């Protein structure tokens, strides 16, 4: 099949592309590269004038202040429009989410109508912020979510503008348009499946694909110090519960000065990010999660002990009796306790490391997952 993957935020579509190509399909990935993360793409509609030219950056700020119009989104839409002739005659078009083009919602609808009119099968992937997901989180039926800091007034409400925009009428109309026109909605982990199921939205759950052929397992060798890594994306840090990790690390640093080495980075490109945590034994990923996101899964594939989502729903679904990662909770004392246990019992780091790699190979292998996507796409 000839397949167009539209949008990229986490490397999910890149890994899926690699799996599909191994199965003999022809794949095109079109996206912006997602800002500083700079994910690889085949066709780019990355905004350049409004992000790299000082004059247009200044104009963008002035226009936004005066009119609330985001010229960076405008540029993405214009660049995508001129690429439309390249998006023809695909058997499948899959969107990473309803805002895959990252332009103004009414423009997105216009552009997607053009794309749909010249292709066959249209799929919507839910693997991050999305209208029904945010709707469900706002109902506060889960014990926690990325919106918990908003409910607890941990920070200014403006911090959540990106997530909450999906509840605005214009974004809701875009999602409704897509949900009514795609043939399938696919959810990628329990943080999205649970809300969709809770709102009775039909969806197919397919795990994130991880290319274990290019991710080497690194056996944890602990000499003098346990190395702990925390990679911070400032834009999402509070939603992920990073302050809990930061406070826990302050205590751990004082408690185990001679036994730990702590590495913290902020807003670095994806390739640099993964290189920096290669030497770590423990990776701190996310607190407010029920399941593992993409970064956590890749770290687990490398054999890291990852603090991330691993709630009861996750453990039961995969019928796990032993931990393949550490279920992180919004509780500093709990995080300190779990980190302390690992530092004082380094053999457990080795045990979890091996189980993590085996779990990824069994449940997230990119070719197996790619075939699951093909099965859903071709289902009558």
């Amino acid at each position: 099949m000839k397949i167009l993957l539209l949008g990229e935020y986490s490397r999910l579509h890149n890994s899926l592309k690699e799996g599909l190509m191994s199965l003999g399909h022809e794949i095109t990935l079109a996206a912006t590269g997602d800002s500083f993360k700079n994910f690889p793409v085949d066709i780019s509609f990355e905004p350049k004038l409004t992000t790299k030219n000082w004059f247009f950056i200044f104009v963008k700020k002035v226009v936004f202040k005066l009119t609330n119009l985001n010229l960076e989104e405008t540029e993405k839409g214009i660049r995508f429009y001129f690429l439309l002739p390249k998006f023809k005659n695909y058997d499948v078009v899959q969107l990473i989410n309803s805002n895959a083009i990252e332009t103004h919602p009414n423009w997105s609808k216009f552009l997607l109508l053009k794309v749909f009119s010249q292709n066959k099968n249209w799929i919507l992937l839910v693997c991050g912020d999305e209208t029904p997901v945010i709707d469900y989180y706002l109902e506060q039926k889960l014990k926690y979510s990325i919106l918990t800091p908003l409910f607890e007034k941990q920070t200014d409400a403006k911090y959540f503008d990106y997530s909450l925009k999906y509840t605005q009428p214009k974004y809701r109309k875009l999602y409704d348009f897509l949900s009514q026109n795609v043939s399938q909605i696919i959810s990628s982990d329990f943080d999205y499946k649970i809300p969709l199921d809770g709102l009775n939205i039909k969806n197919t759950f397919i795990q994130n694909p991880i290319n274990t052929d290019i991710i080497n397992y690194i056996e944890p060798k602990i000499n003098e110090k346990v190395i702990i890594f925390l990679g911070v994306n400032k834009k999402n840090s509070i939603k992920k519960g990073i302050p809990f990790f930061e406070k826990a690390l302050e205590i751990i640093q004082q408690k185990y000065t001679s036994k730990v080495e702590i590495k913290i980075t902020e807003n670095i490109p994806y390739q640099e990010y993964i290189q920096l945590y290669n030497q770590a034994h423990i990776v701190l990923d996310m607190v407010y999660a029920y399941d593992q996101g993409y970064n956590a899964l890749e770290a687990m594939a490398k054999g890291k002990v990852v603090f991330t989502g691993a709630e009861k729903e996750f453990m039961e679904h995969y019928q796990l009796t032993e931990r393949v990662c550490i279920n992180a909770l919004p509780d500093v004392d709990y995080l300190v306790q779990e980190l302390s246990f690992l530092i004082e019992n380094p053999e457990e780091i080795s045990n979890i490391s091996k189980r993590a790699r085996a779990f990824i190979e069994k449940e997230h292998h990119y070719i197996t997952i790619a075939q699951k996507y093909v099965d859903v796409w071709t289902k009558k």
Side-chain angles (χ1 to χ4, degrees):
M1 290 193 297
K2 187 180 177 185
I3 300 157
L4 173 63
L5 302 177
L6 187 54
E8 177 68 300
Y9 296 128
S10 64
R11 207 187 181 280
L12 191 164
H13 265 173
N14 269 278
S15 293
L16 179 58
K17 172 187 170 181
E18 291 156 4
L20 291 167
M21 289 177 67
S22 296
L23 294 172
H25 300 287
E26 181 184 344
I27 315 300
T28 299
L29 199 168
T32 63
D34 200 19
S35 186
F36 68 87
K37 296 176 189 174
N38 197 28
F39 291 114
V41 300
D42 300 312
I43 299 176
S44 175
F45 47 98
E46 174 192 6
K48 295 180 179 178
L49 286 176
T50 53
T51 59
K52 298 179 180 179
N53 182 294
W54 68 267
F55 174 74
F56 283 100
I57 292 173
F58 173 75
V59 171
K60 176 179 70 173
K61 291 179 179 178
V62 172
V63 170
F64 186 77
K65 189 171 184 178
L66 294 175
T67 68
N68 209 36
L69 177 68
N70 189 324
L71 289 182
E72 187 174 324
E73 292 182 355
T74 304
E75 184 182 354
K76 291 174 186 176
I78 292 171
R79 289 183 180 275
F80 189 91
Y81 176 80
F82 285 107
L83 291 170
L84 282 173
K86 295 186 177 184
F87 302 143
K88 285 183 178 180
N89 303 318
Y90 286 91
D91 299 299
V92 175
V93 177
Q94 177 166 287
L95 280 67
I96 199 76
N97 81 337
S98 62
N99 193 37
I101 304 177
E102 303 175 41
T103 190
H104 312 296
N106 56 332
W107 285 28
S108 282
K109 182 178 178 181
F110 167 77
L111 293 167
L112 288 171
L113 278 169
K114 293 286 187 183
V115 174
F116 291 172
S117 69
Q118 52 198 31
N119 296 287
K120 296 179 182 177
N121 194 10
W122 319 314
I123 309 293
L124 177 61
L125 181 56
V126 176
C127 58
D129 291 350
E130 187 60 272
T131 297
V133 173
I134 301 302
D135 282 345
Y136 193 80
Y137 289 167
L138 286 169
E139 293 181 4
Q140 299 188 57
K141 291 183 177 179
L142 298 174
K143 63 180 179 181
Y144 54 69
S145 74
I146 59 170
L147 296 186
T148 295
L150 172 66
F151 306 140
E152 296 180 351
K153 297 181 170 57
Q154 295 179 24
T155 187
D156 193 303
K158 287 185 177 181
Y159 177 86
F160 296 90
D161 283 352
Y162 179 85
S163 295
L164 295 177
K165 74 180 183 183
Y166 286 94
T167 66
Q168 295 174 7
K170 56 186 178 181
Y171 282 95
R172 190 176 298 280
K173 287 179 182 177
L174 175 60
Y175 169 78
D176 289 343
F177 157 72
L178 282 168
S179 65
Q180 293 162 15
N181 283 278
V182 297
S183 62
Q184 298 281 345
I185 295 177
I186 298 173
S187 56
S188 66
D189 72 42
F190 287 99
D191 291 286
Y192 316 119
K193 176 176 172 52
I194 292 172
L196 293 177
D197 289 348
L199 294 172
N200 296 315
I201 296 172
K202 185 178 179 181
N203 69 99
T204 302
F205 173 65
I206 304 180
Q207 305 95 309
N208 283 300
I210 302 296
N211 188 342
T212 50
D213 291 344
I214 62 174
I215 299 177
N216 296 321
Y217 174 71
I218 304 172
E219 185 176 353
K221 295 179 180 179
I222 302 171
N223 297 319
E224 296 181 356
K225 295 184 176 183
V226 173
I227 302 173
I228 305 172
F229 177 84
L230 174 62
V232 180
N233 177 349
K234 293 299 287 185
K235 187 173 75 172
N236 295 325
S237 62
I238 295 175
K239 290 194 295 185
K240 290 191 171 187
I242 300 301
F244 291 98
F245 286 141
E246 292 173 329
K247 291 173 184 175
L249 288 178
E250 289 176 7
I251 297 171
I252 290 295
Q253 183 69 75
Q254 294 177 356
K255 187 177 178 181
Y256 298 103
T257 304
S258 62
K259 288 188 174 183
V260 299
E261 179 182 346
I262 296 172
K263 296 182 178 181
I264 300 177
T265 66
E266 287 188 5
N267 291 14
I268 58 174
Y270 171 78
Q271 290 299 331
E272 186 178 346
Y273 170 86
I274 60 174
Q275 289 302 317
L276 282 171
Y277 77 52
N278 275 348
Q279 301 307 312
H281 305 109
I282 298 171
V283 172
L284 307 181
D285 174 60
M286 186 172 180
V287 167
Y288 295 122
Y290 275 57
D291 199 347
Q292 302 92 58
Y294 207 88
N295 285 344
L297 293 170
E298 285 200 326
M300 289 166 65
K302 288 191 174 185
K304 309 306 176 186
V305 176
V306 184
F307 280 63
T308 185
E311 283 290 346
K312 178 182 70 174
E313 290 84 350
F314 160 77
M315 297 291 288
E316 290 178 350
H317 177 81
Y318 293 106
Q319 299 181 340
L320 297 171
T321 57
E322 295 181 295
R323 297 196 294 184
V324 296
C325 55
I326 307 298
N327 186 33
L329 299 175
D331 182 331
V332 173
D333 291 339
Y334 165 83
L335 295 173
V336 169
Q337 178 183 322
E338 290 289 348
L339 286 166
S340 297
F341 175 77
L342 293 169
I343 293 164
E344 294 171 10
N345 299 274
E347 68 279 0
E348 188 61 15
I349 292 177
S350 179
N351 293 337
I352 295 176
S353 167
K354 292 172 184 174
R355 292 198 294 265
R357 175 68 183 199
F359 170 76
I360 299 300
E361 289 180 345
K362 179 184 178 185
E363 304 291 355
H364 291 272
H365 192 274
Y366 72 117
I367 297 177
T368 303
I369 299 301
Q371 185 58 56
K372 288 186 178 183
Y373 272 89
V374 172
D375 292 343
V376 168
W377 293 339
T378 55
K379 185 167 61 177
K380 301 297 184 182

